[in-house]
């Protein structure tokens, strides 16, 4: 059976399918840090038809298949399945159209986010989706995980940037619905089934992205606040004064800020004195002078009322990039700490300070040498926590750390995943954030679209193992 399947795959896809030692190691895993798996075969599709042929064969032979994008996911969603096929869309990287009248961009799933951003800007428009991994993550992966990122507070999650989509179902059926219209109530909005489903219901091959008017300027301010309650007052003031111009409100606790600026020579501390919490504010509007003036108004009030102890308004884009560099230095974790247990949780904004305090204290009490770093998109209730136990070396107590953190998140009424998906890593804990009835409905949808359970088998849903 396996021989017949591989022969059929080779006959259908020729030079775009790889076997054994010819499969590059990068396709054995994503950024989750899980044990790599060499797939039975790798297909690097060039067209939607290639994707369709691959899924049709896998469906017929009941062989599991794992869709892959930029492999930047942290939850194991793109890690191959033992004895299965890895289906990479990284060769489907064409930007097919920019429609400046409709303010849309039609792209293939393998387009890097950064390329899409720059293409939109060259056309005088703006793609509001933004992640630190912008030059390595791919649009298909962004949509399949409903990625969030730095500008959710203004532009929303990935699903807010999609008007139309092309998807290949598990049996190879191609569903093309490349709608460009903001208003289209003709039946079910089918694209919402696939956005955020992490490749378990279908493989996204093309999408129509909604673009925005290009801001004339993005102004940044960096603030040191005395404590978490003061930061909340600053957030409320920024929302009131900046309104829709507020594009980012990023928060870094001292655990993160002090560690990263102290370990990376390329980063410099913005303030000579330490503060209780650090905030990056970004606003974007049609007038550079107005943007800066609005930020000055926010900072002036905050300084007067004691919500901010010190603040910087960079004089150039280069200075602004230097301030953002600290927040975006997370890709250096591997060099600085080795293996980590990373969390991406959602919690009511007012409870985030209490949660950070509880998590950092509990981890330090259990593992006295623990390194725990806290930061996040607090403007949209998204908190990140990264942990390493130096004394454990490569045998990090992932399960114990995860259970400790998720228990505290659940007590605050939070969610175990705000923007990175469930994949394999968080699947055992999904019941902490979803009711039995919700999980049952998800299972029914999965079975309806993928009755043989071949597409990203074993991911997301408990009980979905192959």
């Amino acid at each position: 059976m396996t021989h017949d399947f591989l022969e059929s795959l080779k006959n259908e896809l020729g030079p775009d399918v790889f076997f054994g030692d010819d499969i590059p190691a990068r396709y054995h895993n994503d950024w989750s840090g899980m044990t790599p798996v060499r797939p039975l075969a790798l297909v690097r599709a060039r067209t939607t038809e290639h994707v369709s042929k691959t899924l049709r064969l896998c469906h017929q032979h009941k062989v599991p298949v794992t869709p892959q994008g930029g492999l930047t996911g942290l939850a194991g969603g793109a890690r191959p399945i033992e004895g299965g096929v890895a289906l990479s869309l990284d060769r489907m990287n064409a930007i097919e159209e920019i429609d400046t009248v409709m303010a849309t961009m039609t792209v293939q799933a393998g387009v890097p986010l950064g390329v899409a951003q720059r293409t939109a800007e060259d056309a005088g428009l703006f793609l509001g989706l933004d992640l630190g991994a912008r030059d390595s993550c791919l649009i298909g992966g962004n949509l399949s995980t409903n990625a969030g990122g730095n500008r959710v507070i203004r532009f929303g999650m990935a699903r807010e940037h999609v008007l139309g989509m092309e998807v290949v179902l598990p049996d190879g059926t191609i569903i093309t619905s490349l709608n460009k219209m903001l208003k289209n109530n003709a039946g079910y909005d089918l694209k919402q089934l696939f956005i955020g489903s992490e490749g378990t219901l279908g493989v996204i091959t093309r999408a129509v992205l909604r673009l925005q008017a290009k801001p004339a300027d993005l102004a940044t301010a960096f603030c040191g606040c005395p404590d978490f309650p003061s930061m909340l007052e600053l957030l409320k003031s920024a929302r009131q004064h900046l309104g829709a111009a507020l594009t980012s409100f990023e928060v870094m606790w001292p655990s993160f800020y002090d560690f990263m600026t102290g370990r990376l020579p390329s980063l410099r501390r913005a303030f000579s004195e330490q503060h209780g919490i650090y905030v990056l504010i970004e606003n974007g509007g049609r007038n550079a002078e107005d943007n800066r003036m609005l930020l000055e108004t926010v900072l002036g009030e905050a300084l007067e009322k004691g919500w901010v102890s010190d603040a910087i308004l960079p004089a150039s884009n280069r200075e602004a990039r230097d301030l953002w560099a600290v927040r975006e230095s997370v890709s250096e974790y591997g060099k600085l700490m080795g293996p980590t247990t990373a969390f991406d949780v959602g919690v009511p904004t007012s409870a985030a300070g209490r949660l950070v305090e509880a998590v950092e204290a509990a981890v330090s009490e259990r593992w006295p040498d623990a390194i725990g770093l806290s930061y996040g998109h607090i403007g949209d209730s998204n908190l990140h926590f990264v942990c390493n136990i130096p004394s454990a070396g490569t045998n990090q107590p992932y399960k114990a750390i995860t259970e400790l953190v998720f228990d505290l998140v659940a007590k605050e009424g939070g969610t175990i995943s705000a923007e990175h998906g469930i994949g394999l890593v968080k699947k055992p804990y999904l019941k902490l954030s979803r009711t039995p009835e919700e999980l049952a409905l998800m299972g029914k949808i999965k079975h309806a679209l993928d009755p043989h359970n071949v597409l990203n088998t074993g991911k997301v849903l408990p009980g979905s193992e192959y």
Side-chain angles (χ1 to χ4, degrees):
M1 176 71 78
T2 300
H3 179 267
D4 291 344
F5 167 71
L6 295 179
E7 282 297 311
S8 298
L9 203 62
K10 185 175 181 180
N11 290 337
E12 288 277 10
L13 296 157
D16 296 315
V17 61
F18 305 84
F19 307 99
D21 292 338
D22 291 333
I23 301 175
R26 75 176 300 264
Y27 298 98
H28 296 185
N29 208 357
D30 54 16
W31 281 8
S32 63
M34 302 182 73
T35 303
V37 172
R38 187 173 75 180
L40 179 67
L42 165 70
V43 175
R44 296 186 68 195
R46 296 178 186 272
T47 66
T48 298
E49 287 69 29
H50 284 178
V51 175
S52 176
K53 289 178 180 179
T54 302
L55 293 185
R56 176 175 52 79
L57 287 171
C58 289
H59 179 80
Q60 289 175 354
H61 292 268
K62 297 183 174 62
V63 175
V65 55
T66 302
Q68 294 184 335
L71 299 166
T72 59
L74 299 174
R79 176 179 179 261
I81 300 161
E82 195 80 42
V85 171
L87 172 59
S88 175
L89 282 81
D90 58 2
R91 283 177 168 170
M92 293 182 61
N93 55 13
I95 293 178
E96 298 181 349
E97 182 192 53
I98 292 274
D99 187 331
T100 57
V101 174
M102 295 296 289
T104 63
M105 174 190 293
T106 304
V107 301
Q108 294 180 339
V111 172
L113 174 60
V115 171
Q117 289 175 329
R118 290 187 287 274
T119 302
E121 290 180 13
D122 289 344
L125 294 165
F126 184 74
L127 177 58
L129 183 65
D130 185 51
L131 314 174
R134 62 185 69 85
D135 290 320
S136 49
C137 64
L138 307 184
I139 293 294
N142 297 156
L143 302 186
S144 70
T145 58
N146 190 29
N150 301 329
R151 293 174 177 151
V152 169
I153 193 172
R154 168 64 180 89
F155 298 107
M157 301 284 281
R159 72 173 68 252
E160 305 299 330
H161 302 269
V162 185
L163 294 173
M165 187 179 290
E166 179 181 78
V167 178
V168 183
L169 299 183
D171 65 358
T173 301
I174 299 172
I175 305 294
T176 301
S177 181
L178 296 173
N179 167 71
K180 288 185 178 182
M181 294 172 288
L182 287 175
K183 294 180 177 180
N184 187 346
N185 272 336
Y188 299 155
D189 190 358
L190 295 175
K191 67 178 182 292
Q192 301 299 348
L193 270 177
F194 305 100
I195 300 172
S197 67
E198 301 182 51
T200 61
L201 303 180
V203 178
I204 298 169
T205 51
R206 291 194 290 165
V208 178
L209 302 179
R210 180 184 181 185
L211 304 179
Q212 312 289 332
K214 183 178 179 180
D217 176 65
L218 289 172
T220 299
F222 187 66
C223 308
C225 299
D227 50 35
F228 185 80
S230 300
M231 183 276 294
L232 290 182
E233 295 299 326
L234 176 62
L235 173 59
K236 289 190 290 185
S237 177
R239 282 177 168 155
Q240 178 183 355
H241 290 291
L242 304 179
L246 177 62
T247 55
S248 299
F249 194 93
E250 299 291 305
V251 174
M252 296 167 278
W253 273 260
S255 57
F256 172 86
Y257 188 78
D258 293 345
F259 182 85
M260 300 308 285
T261 56
R263 298 292 183 95
L264 288 174
S266 60
L267 302 179
R268 66 176 184 84
R269 290 187 62 87
F271 305 123
S272 58
E273 296 183 0
Q274 288 193 323
H275 298 281
I277 199 162
Y278 301 88
V279 181
L280 268 166
I281 305 174
E282 180 189 79
N283 73 313
R286 303 302 300 164
N287 185 288
E289 186 176 337
D290 287 348
N291 284 347
R292 190 174 180 89
M293 185 172 63
L294 284 169
L295 271 182
E296 288 175 349
T297 299
V298 172
L299 297 181
E301 178 187 34
L303 286 164
E304 181 181 339
K305 294 191 175 182
W307 303 333
V308 168
S309 304
D310 203 352
I312 293 174
L313 269 171
S316 66
N317 289 334
R318 180 177 179 178
E319 289 181 15
R321 285 195 298 270
D322 287 344
L323 293 173
W324 273 99
V326 180
R327 174 61 182 84
E328 297 188 341
S329 63
V330 296
S331 60
E332 303 295 329
Y333 286 155
K335 299 176 185 176
L336 301 179
M337 292 187 284
T340 60
T341 306
F343 298 90
D344 149 51
V345 302
V347 67
T349 303
S350 58
R354 186 168 60 244
L355 178 61
V356 167
E357 187 176 327
V359 166
E360 291 189 356
V363 169
S364 294
E365 182 179 355
R366 180 100 176 251
W367 299 278
D369 66 329
I371 301 170
L373 314 181
S374 302
Y375 59 102
H377 320 290
I378 296 301
D380 43 81
S381 305
N382 182 191
L383 178 66
H384 296 292
F385 177 71
V386 175
C387 183
N388 170 266
I389 314 298
S391 58
T394 57
N395 297 313
Q396 294 289 303
Y398 296 112
K399 188 172 186 292
I401 297 171
T402 299
E403 290 177 350
L404 184 155
V405 172
F406 282 167
D407 282 346
L408 291 170
V409 171
K411 287 177 182 178
E412 292 290 356
T415 173
I416 64 169
S417 182
E419 60 179 358
H420 289 172
I422 299 298
L424 281 171
V425 173
K426 302 176 192 175
K427 185 176 75 167
Y429 309 98
L430 186 56
K431 61 185 178 183
L432 294 174
S433 297
R434 292 294 193 181
T435 66
E437 293 78 13
E438 288 176 309
L439 292 174
L441 179 56
M442 292 180 195
K444 289 178 181 178
I445 295 170
K446 169 69 171 173
H447 182 72
L449 293 179
D450 188 11
H452 296 327
N453 192 24
V454 299
L455 192 49
N456 226 2
T457 311
K459 311 292 177 63
V460 183
L461 293 178
S464 62
E465 289 73 15
Y466 187 68

